[in-house]
């Protein structure tokens, strides 16, 4: 027999050949050429001819099955990938869909997927637990499915109105698709071609069939009636060998013939009758399976396990039944649980549950508060150890458990004054149950609270600051501060001096950056006008933050033996003074502490705190109208160009390239949480405006001086950028406003300068951020008027022989004594060559023409000055500093004040870390 006719299945070939072996040879083969080698699998595989519709729909069905599996395991990324492939496959099948209509199973997956994504989107807790890729894929897929389903709105609506009917129609359609060729191509004798090609296998016995896994409905639908009868009877085909041979030839011929559609009424009726019989048999199989399940349940020996449902595990028993619960037994069990702590493969969540269960057992058996306190200490420590990685932060549920557990522990300690806890208590000397003596438990409540504060900082660092989640986490700070206050009260009674200093520093770190609005309002409201009840209410609200900071810091100054705690307390105290506009107290404390001398030797977090304090000091000086002090305080931070990094508010991209991954992680852990940030745009604006008020009059006074030095290099850089603009339009950014105001001041036009500095845009960006914005704006207008007057006199003094002070007073809208004072200072400091004529209230200018010898001396001085400047530039380029540009000026604009020495959190040139 030729290979062409050997197309039966394994079972058929075994029954027909009766053990004889067939050896097939290649027909007409040229043995000189390379023969076509077929593997055994390829030889045994049946060649099936399918229509384009079946191929396309099978491809869609496989993709839909993959999507449903991904939905079961909440793998949204996989759903997104398969949905994109499904859209492409549907596009390929478009021609078939146009003829046949949109398949029901396709509409069903679109509707189910959209509902599934909406459920995930509304599940806020579930979204928080998602990883980054799944969360991103969820947002993308949700948008795509909503946009894609607009083309199928009518189909989806009809499906949702009657999903059961749609499912039944779909099942019938699948039956028709899977059995179309066999039903329509039946011979006159009623024998189909596909019947002879179908594999037949021995059916298992009735008893074993009970415990087989359920087959999918799609596989059941694809079985034909002959297979159903064979399965039930458990017998094989009853045809003879000769009939099989004839059937094979008939089957082969029919496989390559075009399907015949039922044309007559009799054929249609036969096909419809067959479908009804098939549906009836399917219903009988389902009811039979349900009866088997009921019998299994009645027997009680077997339990059917459905996939995807997690088994409920019983909680492990802590003690054997009948065991007497004593202190020794509980402590022994506690030690057994703690021995697994830190080991590989230990379930940390289960360990926490065991400890909590142990607390309940100890409480139920009245084993005393000492045992409960010891177990509580270990529960809190286990909660901290839940995340082994330092960079990861606690989950919200773990964080909530930690706060509750610490509060419960403090309740016990306050309710039982006879319990003493401490790190210095050895485990051998612990007293957990002897009530005759004070109970002694090993553990440090202060260490737990310090770790709690670190975890809170990590939570705030790793939360998006512009989300509602950050606000929710920030609300927990009230609980953190309340716990710190409770521990403070406890340690003031029973703690050592060192512990009291540490808890005081924690309290200070949660207080120093907060503006006390209640105290500010009490200062603004006169005490005479307030009633007695209001005064009592103000007293009951608690002490002002200034009084609290003063008390805590003074205790640390007197009692602390470590430099770090004292340094942090001083810096926080200065910051708090500066924040509340107590400039002179803040300045004096900074000068007396001499922190600027050795701050470069401190650790990076303290250096960041120093930089934040200096910045706040400069902003405070600006609010007071002390532009020189403000400029000097902000100079080091702003001149470096790395203010964001030095203040611990972020990492610069260029500096990230210089660090490896480990150093970057360390840097990110040092970042300050967002609610402690200082507005960098406000900081730069304050610095540039201060530089403008100093630099513009100085430039006008030394316009022809070759030895002129820059007071602010950054300000000059902004001026040069503004001059290089090819098209000069209205200013938009904060820097452009300052540059435009500087040009106006240079011409003595104070009104234009005022309009550029103070307007709606600048108010919204900068000035409204100050606590007393109106006072700051009034101060700025006054400063602009005075410095514009000085600039006008420097610029146009050569034009005038004399000028009336009344004219100057009207021009700059200043009172006459102020104008007199400004001009007198300029004459005394030899900045203006003039004299005052008191009777006429005029300023008489003095003209002095230089002699020839003086001209030569000026030229020589100019050349020497340029030579020195070039040398300084070369030196500064090698050293990487700006020392040559910031030396003391002859007119005293830059004085070498002690608190402005270069120091702080600056990256050295030879190091990549701090």
């Amino acid at each position: 027999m030729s290979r062409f006719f050997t197309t039966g299945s394994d079972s058929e070939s075994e029954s027909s050949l009766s053990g004889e072996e067939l050896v097939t040879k290649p027909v007409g083969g040229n043995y000189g050429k390379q023969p076509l080698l077929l593997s055994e699998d390829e030889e045994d595989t049946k060649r099936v001819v399918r229509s384009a519709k079946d191929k396309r729909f099978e491809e869609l069905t496989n993709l839909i099955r993959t999507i449903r599996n991904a939905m079961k395991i909440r793998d949204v990324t996989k759903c997104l990938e398969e949905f994109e492939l499904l859209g492409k496959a549907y596009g390929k099948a478009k021609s078939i869909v146009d003829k046949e209509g949109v398949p029901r199973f396709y509409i069903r997956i679109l509707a189910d997927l959209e509902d599934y994504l909406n459920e995930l989107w509304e599940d806020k807790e579930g979204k928080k637990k998602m990883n980054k890729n799944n969360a991103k894929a969820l947002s993308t897929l949700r948008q795509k499915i909503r946009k894609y389903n607009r083309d199928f709105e009518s189909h989806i609506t009809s499906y949702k109105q009657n999903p059961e009917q749609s499912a039944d129609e779909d099942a019938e359609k699948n039956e028709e698709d899977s059995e179309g060729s066999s039903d329509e191509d039946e011979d006159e004798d009623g024998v189909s071609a596909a019947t002879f090609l179908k594999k037949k296998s021995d059916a298992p016995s009735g008893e074993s069939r009970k415990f087989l896994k359920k087959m999918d409905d799609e596989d059941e639908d694809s079985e034909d009636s002959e297979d159903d009868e064979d399965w039930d009877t458990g017998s094989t085909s009853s045809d003879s060998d000769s009939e099989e041979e004839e059937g094979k030839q008939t089957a082969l011929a029919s496989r390559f013939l075009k399907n015949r559609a039922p044309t007559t009424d009799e054929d249609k009726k036969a096909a419809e009758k067959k479908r009804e019989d098939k549906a009836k048999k399917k219903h009988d199989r389902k009811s039979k399976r349900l009866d088997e399940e009921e019998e299994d349940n009645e027997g009680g020996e077997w339990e059917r396990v459905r996939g995807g449902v997690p088994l409920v595990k019983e909680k492990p028993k802590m003690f054997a039944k009948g065991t007497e619960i004593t202190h020794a037994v509980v402590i022994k069990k506690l030690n057994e649980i703690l021995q697994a702590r830190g080991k590989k493969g230990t379930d940390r969540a289960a360990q926490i549950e065991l400890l909590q269960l142990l607390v309940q057992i100890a409480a139920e058996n009245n084993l005393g508060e000492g045992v409960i306190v010891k177990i509580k200490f270990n529960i809190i420590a286990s909660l901290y150890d839940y995340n082994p990685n330092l960079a990861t932060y606690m989950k919200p549920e773990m964080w909530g458990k930690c706060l509750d557990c610490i509060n419960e522990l403090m309740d016990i300690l306050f309710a039982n004054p006879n319990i003493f806890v401490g790190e210095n208590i050895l485990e051998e000397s612990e007293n957990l149950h002897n009530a005759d003596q004070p109970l002694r438990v090993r553990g440090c409540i202060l260490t737990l609270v310090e770790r709690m504060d670190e975890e809170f900082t990590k939570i705030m660092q790793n939360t998006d600051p512009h989300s509602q989640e950050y606000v929710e986490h920030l609300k927990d700070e009230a609980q953190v501060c309340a716990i710190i206050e409770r521990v403070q009260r406890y340690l003031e009674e029973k703690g050592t001096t060192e512990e009291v200093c540490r808890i005081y520093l924690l309290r200070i770190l949660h207080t120093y950056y907060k503006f006390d609005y209640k105290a500010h309002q009490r200062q603004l409201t006169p005490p005479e006008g307030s009633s007695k009840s209001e005064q009592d209410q103000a007293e009951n609200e608690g002490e002002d933050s200034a009084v609290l900071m003063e008390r805590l810091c003074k205790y640390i100054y007197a009692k602390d033996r470590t430099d770090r705690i004292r340094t942090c307390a001083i810096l926080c105290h200065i910051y708090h003074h500066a924040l509340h506009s107590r400039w002179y107290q803040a300045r004096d404390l900074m000068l007396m502490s001499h922190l600027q001398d050795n701050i470069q030797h401190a650790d990076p977090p303290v250096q960041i705190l120093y930089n934040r304090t200096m910045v706040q000091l400069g902003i405070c000086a600006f609010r007071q109208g002390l532009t020189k002090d403000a400029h000097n305080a902000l100079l080091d931070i702003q001149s470096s160009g790395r203010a964001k990094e030095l203040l611990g508010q972020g990492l610069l991209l260029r500096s990230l390239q210089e660090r490896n991954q480990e150093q970057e992680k360390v840097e990110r852990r040092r970042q300050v949480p967002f609610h402690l940030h200082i507005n960098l745009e406000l900081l730069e604006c304050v610095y540039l405006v201060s530089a403008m008020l100093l630099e513009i009059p100085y430039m006008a006074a030394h316009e022809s001086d070759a030895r002129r030095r820059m007071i602010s290099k950054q300000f000059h850089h902004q001026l040069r950028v503004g001059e290089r603009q090819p098209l000069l339009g209205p200013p938009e950014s904060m820097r452009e406003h300052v540059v435009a105001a500087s040009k106006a001041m240079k011409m003595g036009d104070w009104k234009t300068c005022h309009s550029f500095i103070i307007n709606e845009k600048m108010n919204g960006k900068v000035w409204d951020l100050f606590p007393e914005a109106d006072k700051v704006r009034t101060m700025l207008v006054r400063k602009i008027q005075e410095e514009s007057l000085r600039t006008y006199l420097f610029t146009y003094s050569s034009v005038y022989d004399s000028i009336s002070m009344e004219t100057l007073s009207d021009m700059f809208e200043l009172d006459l004594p102020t104008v007199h004072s400004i001009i007198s200072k300029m004459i005394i400091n030899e900045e203006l060559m003039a004299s005052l004529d008191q009777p006429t209230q005029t300023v008489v200018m003095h003209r002095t023409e230089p002699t020839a010898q003086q001209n030569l001396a000026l030229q020589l001085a100019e050349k020497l000055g340029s030579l020195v400047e070039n040398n300084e530039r070369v030196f500064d380029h090698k050293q990487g500093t700006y020392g040559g540009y910031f030396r003391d000026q002859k007119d005293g604009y830059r004085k070498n004040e002690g608190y402005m020495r270069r120091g702080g959190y600056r990256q050295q040139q030879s190091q990549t870390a701090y």
Side-chain angles (χ1 to χ4, degrees):
M1 185 188 294
S2 173
R3 173 192 291 272
F4 185 78
F5 293 103
T6 59
T7 57
S9 64
D10 294 339
S11 60
E12 290 174 328
S13 61
E14 288 174 6
S15 62
S16 63
L17 294 178
S18 302
E20 293 181 3
E21 187 174 354
L22 267 177
V23 179
T24 58
K25 296 181 180 179
V27 180
N30 187 358
Y31 294 102
K33 296 181 180 179
Q34 180 70 24
L36 178 64
L37 299 177
L38 295 174
S39 66
E40 293 181 0
D41 296 337
E42 290 174 341
E43 291 178 359
D44 295 341
T45 303
K46 294 187 296 182
R47 299 176 63 185
V48 181
V49 178
R50 291 184 301 165
S51 64
K53 174 186 173 183
D54 293 340
K55 289 181 182 178
R56 295 302 181 195
F57 280 16
E58 184 181 356
E59 184 182 1
L60 292 174
T61 308
N62 292 336
L63 290 172
I64 289 171
R65 189 178 293 115
T66 310
I67 290 175
R68 290 198 181 278
N69 291 338
M71 288 163 62
K72 289 177 184 176
I73 62 174
R74 298 172 68 95
D75 189 355
V76 189
T77 308
K78 184 70 175 175
C79 288
L80 176 60
E81 295 174 0
E82 296 299 323
F83 177 73
E84 292 173 350
L85 295 177
L86 184 66
K88 293 178 182 177
Y90 183 78
K92 292 178 183 177
K94 195 72 171 67
S95 58
I96 298 170
V97 171
D98 293 340
K99 294 179 183 178
E100 303 288 336
V102 182
R104 289 282 183 176
F105 63 84
Y106 193 73
I107 298 300
R108 187 189 309 152
I109 188 61
L110 294 182
D112 293 350
L113 185 58
E114 186 175 11
D115 295 341
Y116 171 74
L117 294 175
N118 289 334
E119 288 177 7
L120 287 184
W121 188 263
E122 292 171 0
D123 185 8
K124 302 296 182 183
E125 295 297 327
K127 282 172 65 179
K128 290 179 184 177
K129 296 177 184 177
M130 278 187 181
N131 58 31
K132 188 176 180 181
N133 293 335
N134 264 358
K136 188 176 180 181
L138 175 61
S139 177
T140 307
L141 182 56
R142 183 168 173 267
Q143 293 176 358
K144 285 189 175 184
I145 194 72
R146 289 169 70 184
K147 185 177 179 182
Y148 189 79
N149 284 1
R150 290 173 190 165
D151 300 334
F152 304 94
E153 281 185 2
S154 58
H155 298 86
I156 293 174
T157 305
S158 62
Y159 165 73
K160 289 184 175 179
Q161 288 175 355
N162 196 354
E164 295 180 359
Q165 181 182 355
S166 302
D168 295 339
E169 290 176 4
D170 196 10
E172 290 180 8
K173 194 167 185 178
N174 287 341
E175 289 175 6
E176 292 176 10
D177 293 342
S178 61
E179 307 238 350
S181 58
S182 61
D183 291 343
E184 294 167 4
D185 293 340
E186 283 187 346
D187 297 339
E188 292 178 358
D189 297 335
V191 181
S192 64
T195 306
F196 292 94
L197 299 174
K198 208 157 202 39
K199 277 191 177 183
K200 297 174 183 176
S201 58
D202 294 335
S205 64
E207 288 298 324
S208 62
R209 191 175 73 246
K210 288 184 182 180
F211 310 109
L212 288 176
K213 189 177 180 182
K214 276 188 180 180
M215 298 183 70
D216 295 329
D217 291 340
E218 294 178 2
D219 297 336
E220 292 171 358
D221 294 343
S222 64
E223 293 177 353
D224 56 7
S225 61
E226 288 81 6
D227 284 340
D228 296 334
E229 293 170 3
D230 292 345
W231 181 268
D232 293 333
T233 58
S235 62
T236 57
S237 176
S238 61
D239 293 337
S240 64
D241 295 343
S242 61
E243 287 176 346
E244 282 192 10
E245 293 294 333
E246 292 175 4
K248 288 178 184 176
Q249 296 177 9
T250 308
L252 273 169
S254 64
R255 286 179 66 181
F256 294 99
L257 289 175
K258 189 173 182 181
N259 291 342
R260 292 181 295 104
T263 54
T264 64
D265 294 339
E266 293 179 0
D267 294 339
K268 291 180 180 178
K269 287 180 181 179
E272 186 176 353
K273 185 179 180 182
K274 184 149 190 169
R275 282 197 298 272
E276 291 176 357
D277 293 342
K278 200 175 296 300
K280 186 177 180 182
K281 288 179 180 179
K282 179 183 173 184
H283 184 267
D284 293 341
R285 283 198 304 273
K286 286 185 178 178
S287 59
K288 193 173 183 181
R289 189 181 299 113
L290 291 173
D291 294 339
E292 291 173 359
E293 288 180 3
E294 290 177 1
E295 290 175 5
D296 293 343
N297 293 334
E298 290 173 3
E301 298 178 0
W302 297 91
E303 181 181 355
R304 186 177 297 274
V305 180
R306 300 182 182 275
V309 180
L311 296 174
V312 179
K313 295 182 179 179
E314 294 184 0
K315 291 184 179 180
K317 295 181 179 179
M318 296 290 293
F319 303 103
K321 191 174 182 180
T323 305
E324 184 182 359
I325 308 300
T326 61
H327 294 87
V329 172
V330 171
I331 296 300
K332 183 180 178 182
K333 194 67 180 179
L334 174 63
N335 292 330
E336 288 179 7
I337 297 172
L338 295 180
Q339 282 174 0
R341 180 179 169 189
K343 289 185 179 180
K344 189 175 181 181
T346 303
D347 188 353
R348 298 182 181 86
Q351 198 176 33
I352 295 170
E353 290 180 5
L354 288 175
L355 290 172
Q356 290 174 340
L357 186 59
L358 198 60
V359 169
Q360 295 176 7
I361 293 172
E364 289 171 0
N365 291 274
N366 298 322
L367 297 183
E369 301 296 343
V371 176
I372 294 177
V373 167
K374 184 173 180 64
I375 302 174
K376 290 274 186 188
F377 269 115
N378 288 290
I379 290 175
I380 299 170
S382 299
L383 288 170
Y384 290 146
D385 293 344
Y386 186 78
N387 291 324
N389 190 0
L390 282 175
T392 56
Y393 60 98
M394 293 179 75
K395 295 179 181 178
E397 58 270 14
M398 291 295 175
W399 171 246
K401 286 182 183 178
C402 180
L403 293 180
D404 295 339
C405 204
I406 293 177
N407 274 320
E408 291 170 6
L409 183 59
M410 292 307 302
D411 290 339
I412 296 173
L413 292 178
F414 275 115
N416 299 273
N418 61 329
I419 299 179
F420 292 91
V421 296
E423 287 179 320
N424 53 353
I425 299 175
L426 300 177
E427 291 188 2
E428 296 81 8
S429 61
E430 282 184 328
N431 177 22
L432 302 178
H433 55 85
N434 189 359
D436 298 336
Q437 298 177 355
L439 299 178
R440 295 164 59 84
V441 182
R442 177 176 173 80
C444 182
I445 187 66
L446 178 58
T447 306
L448 298 181
V449 173
E450 287 177 338
R451 182 69 188 274
M452 174 198 69
D453 186 61
E454 292 174 7
E455 292 294 337
F456 176 72
T457 304
K458 280 200 289 187
I459 290 173
M460 304 311 294
Q461 287 172 342
N462 290 277
T463 308
D464 180 14
H466 305 292
S467 65
Q468 185 64 25
E469 185 182 1
Y470 191 92
V471 179
E472 295 298 325
H473 286 319
L474 192 56
K475 291 178 182 177
D476 292 339
E477 193 189 13
Q479 295 186 52
V480 173
C481 293
I483 290 174
I484 291 174
E485 289 180 21
R486 296 187 73 186
V487 176
Q488 174 189 330
R489 292 200 306 271
Y490 179 78
L491 291 178
E492 284 174 348
E493 296 176 2
K494 298 185 178 182
T496 62
T497 305
E498 182 184 355
E499 290 175 337
V500 173
C501 289
R502 284 163 61 188
I503 195 64
Y504 275 7
L505 180 63
L506 269 184
R507 183 83 185 276
I508 288 169
L509 289 174
H510 280 275
T511 307
Y512 80 98
Y513 63 89
K514 298 174 183 174
F515 188 82
D516 194 348
Y517 285 97
K518 293 180 181 178
H520 181 65
Q521 289 296 327
R522 286 199 288 269
Q523 286 179 357
L524 295 178
T525 305
E528 294 82 6
S530 59
S531 62
K532 187 175 181 182
S533 60
E534 291 177 356
Q535 291 178 1
D536 295 340
Q537 183 182 357
E539 290 176 0
N540 294 332
E541 285 178 356
E543 58 184 345
D544 292 346
S545 60
V547 179
L548 175 66
M549 289 288 293
E550 188 82 12
R551 179 170 61 83
L552 299 179
C553 290
K554 283 188 174 180
Y555 183 90
I556 292 177
Y557 300 157
K559 305 287 186 179
D560 180 58
R561 296 178 182 177
T562 62
D563 290 336
R564 189 183 186 281
I565 293 180
R566 188 188 304 113
T567 301
C568 291
I570 292 173
L571 290 173
C572 292
H573 203 181
I574 296 169
Y575 189 104
H576 194 264
H577 278 316
L579 187 63
H580 292 82
S581 300
R582 295 188 287 270
W583 157 252
Y584 292 104
Q585 291 95 316
R587 183 200 62 180
D588 294 344
L589 191 55
M590 174 62 79
L591 292 175
M592 288 188 296
S593 64
H594 296 285
L595 289 176
Q596 62 277 7
D597 295 338
N598 53 9
I599 193 65
Q600 64 270 16
H601 302 302
D603 54 337
V606 178
Q607 292 184 15
I608 290 175
L609 181 57
Y610 173 83
N611 290 334
R612 286 167 50 79
T613 303
M614 289 303 302
V615 164
Q616 197 61 245
L617 203 58
I619 295 174
C620 174
F622 181 81
R623 290 200 301 267
Q624 302 297 316
L626 306 170
T627 52
K628 291 180 187 177
D629 295 311
H631 179 269
N632 289 339
L634 301 176
L635 179 62
D636 281 342
I637 300 295
Q638 288 299 121
S639 62
S640 65
R642 298 186 297 120
K644 183 178 181 181
E645 188 176 2
L646 297 179
L647 295 175
Q649 297 181 188
L651 299 179
L652 301 179
L653 292 177
R654 63 171 181 267
S655 60
L656 284 177
Q657 299 171 359
E658 302 171 0
R659 299 185 176 92
N660 57 32
Q661 194 171 5
E662 288 301 321
Q663 289 174 334
E664 182 183 346
K665 288 181 181 177
V666 173
E667 291 299 320
R668 292 197 182 279
R669 285 202 293 270
R670 290 174 183 156
Q671 299 303 301
V672 177
F674 183 76
H675 62 281
L676 274 72
H677 281 194
I678 297 172
N679 192 313
L680 295 177
E681 189 173 20
L682 179 144
L683 175 62
E684 186 178 9
C685 180
V686 167
Y687 174 75
L688 290 178
V689 170
S690 300
M692 177 191 76
L693 295 174
L694 297 176
E695 191 78 61
I696 296 299
Y698 179 74
M699 289 170 62
H702 300 82
E703 191 171 2
S704 59
D705 190 357
R707 300 178 62 186
R708 184 184 68 193
R709 296 284 185 270
M710 287 184 282
I711 297 175
S712 171
K713 187 178 181 182
Q714 188 181 6
F715 177 73
H716 276 270
H717 173 70
Q718 296 299 332
L719 287 180
R720 285 195 296 270
V721 169
E723 291 171 357
R724 286 200 298 264
Q725 293 292 337
L727 180 62
L728 192 63
E732 294 181 1
S733 67
M734 176 271 299
R735 295 174 181 174
E736 291 176 357
H737 276 87
V738 176
V739 170
S742 302
K743 292 179 180 178
M745 181 182 281
K746 211 170 184 180
M747 305 301 294
D749 187 358
W750 77 272
K751 291 185 178 179
T752 307
C753 177
H754 167 246
S755 65
F756 281 129
I757 293 294
I758 299 175
N759 50 56
E760 291 185 2
K761 188 178 288 187
M762 290 291 285
N763 286 343
K765 285 185 176 181
V766 180
W767 308 125
D768 287 342
L769 303 178
F770 286 111
E772 297 177 342
D774 294 332
K775 287 186 178 180
V776 174
R777 283 190 280 263
T778 304
M779 177 275 299
L780 265 179
V781 173
R782 179 84 173 182
K783 281 288 179 182
I784 289 171
Q785 290 172 330
E786 292 177 358
E787 297 303 326
S788 297
L789 171 60
R790 284 165 48 82
T791 307
Y792 185 83
L793 291 174
F794 284 136
T795 305
Y796 299 108
S797 61
S798 59
V799 178
Y800 289 99
D801 286 331
S802 62
I803 183 170
S804 172
M805 283 194 288
E806 291 183 0
T807 305
L808 294 175
S809 175
D810 295 338
M811 187 183 299
F812 293 97
E813 296 184 9
L814 291 169
D815 53 349
L816 200 58
T818 304
V819 175
H820 185 277
S821 171
I822 292 171
I823 296 175
S824 300
K825 287 180 182 178
M826 293 173 67
I827 294 173
I828 291 170
N829 293 330
E830 298 182 359
E831 295 172 345
L832 183 65
M833 294 300 174
S835 59
L836 281 173
D837 187 19
Q838 201 69 25
T840 58
Q841 293 290 311
T842 57
V843 182
V844 180
M845 304 298 175
H846 298 168
R847 295 179 180 274
T848 53
E849 297 294 333
T851 61
Q853 188 176 3
Q854 289 174 337
N855 281 328
L856 290 173
L858 288 174
Q859 293 175 10
L860 177 62
E862 184 176 352
K863 290 179 180 179
L864 288 174
S866 61
L867 179 63
V868 170
E869 187 173 354
N870 289 334
N871 288 338
E872 287 181 348
R873 283 179 180 172
V874 172
F875 181 75
D876 290 340
H877 182 70
K878 287 182 179 180
Q879 296 295 320
T881 61
Y882 304 104
Y885 299 111
F886 302 133
R887 294 191 171 182
D888 299 338
Q889 304 301 327
K890 181 179 68 176
D891 57 350
Y893 277 111
R894 178 82 193 278
K895 294 184 179 180
N896 188 16
E897 297 183 6
Y899 71 96
M900 275 313 303
R901 296 179 187 174
R902 301 293 297 276
Y905 179 62
R906 293 195 302 273
Q907 187 176 7
Q908 304 297 327
Q909 188 179 8
S910 60
Q911 298 176 349
T912 56
Y914 299 107

